[in-house]
Every structure is written in structure tokens, then in C-alpha cells.
Amino acid sequence: MRVGTGFLFMIFMLLLSACSSQSSGVTASFNKQVTEELRTDVFIPEYKEYPITSAQIVSVPTGDAKDLAVVYSKNKGTLMDEEYIDVYEKDMGSNVVYGLYDGEPWLFRITYSNVKTTISTDDIDIKNINGVDVQFSERKVKDDEIVLTFFNVEEGSYSIEFVLREGLTKDKAFEIAESIIKNTTQG
């Protein structure tokens, strides 16, 4: 049986697009700038069901500490105009490296800091995930359940604020934390 060249070309293009879709995501658009400003590689996951609506670098007023804050929402929404973004950056003391989309509702925010974090309050629990102690706290704010997680990695720390709504569960929140840990502690 003879297979047509058009069919083979179509199969080749499908394979090529499947392979390249993993490496050409949203984070690839700002990864180099983040690495230069924070002086380390930062792993930020991407999820089809939770699009990234903004990523910004925030300089802490004292010292060399910098944070990368990435917001994930249920829907991406519309990109804000350049004037809005300029005012936002000035007001927030940040450098927007991706977005500002008006996606709602926002579901979680991952913040990477180039310094290690220590949290010491009475209402913190610890869960060991792949050898990393993840500190977490659960709160109720208005009608929303919030889960806050904190953990250190070799070059800094992550904090993630989850709002458990729109199908985002506590189990899924810990899966997200675990994916970051797995991708930052691989030797």
C-alpha cells in the first residue's frame, strides 16, 4: 500500500507542532528577562485550564531582593492597553514582563523570590513534598477558602496563594506546588 506525500507531510507537521508546543509557551516569552533580573533560572509552570494573565518583577525597596509574581486565572480576558500598563508599573513599582490581562476570576498567584523565606506563625502546618518542607496555612476570607504555601528552593523561595474556587481544590493546589518542587530540585 502506498502512502501519499501529502499524508506524510501532514503527519510530520502534527508531530512537529506537538513537540514545539511544550517549549514555546507563555513563560518562554519572559524567561530570559526574568533570569537576567533575578540572576537565576526560575521555574514557572503553565496550565491550559489556568492561563497566565500577568507576570511582573517587583523590586523590594531594601537590598537586592526581587520577586517574580505570576497570576493565573480561569479566563485570560483582554490585554490592557499600554497606557494602563505604564500607570500600573509606576503605581506598583514593578516591571510587567507579560500581560496584564483582565482575566477573571484569578485563582492563584505564584511568587518566586530570590531570597529564602522564613515564616513563623502559630497557624502554619508543614507538609513534606519530595523532601521539601512546604509550610501552608488555610484561611477563609469572605466566602473564599484560601490556601497559602511557602517553600525554599536552592536559589530562593516560592509562595503560592490559592483561592479554592472554579474547580481548584486543595489537592490540586498541592499538585501545583509539587510540580514546582520536582522541577526545581532535579539534580
Side-chain angles (χ1 to χ4, degrees), residues 37-39 57-67 113-115:
E37 287 202 41
L38 277 70
R39 297 185 192 120
I57 298 171
V58 181
S59 296
V60 179
T62 58
D64 293 331
K66 289 187 179 184
D67 292 344
S113 179
N114 64 354
V115 296

Side-chain angles (χ1 to χ4, degrees), residues 33-42 64 66 112 114 155:
Q33 184 176 356
V34 168
T35 300
E36 287 173 3
E37 287 202 41
L38 277 70
R39 297 185 192 120
T40 190
D41 289 328
V42 178
D64 293 331
K66 289 187 179 184
Y112 172 84
N114 64 354
E155 297 289 327

Side-chain angles (χ1 to χ4, degrees), residues 62-79:
T62 58
D64 293 331
K66 289 187 179 184
D67 292 344
L68 170 65
V70 181
V71 175
Y72 298 76
S73 296
K74 179 68 176 173
N75 298 302
K76 194 168 197 171
T78 306
L79 181 63

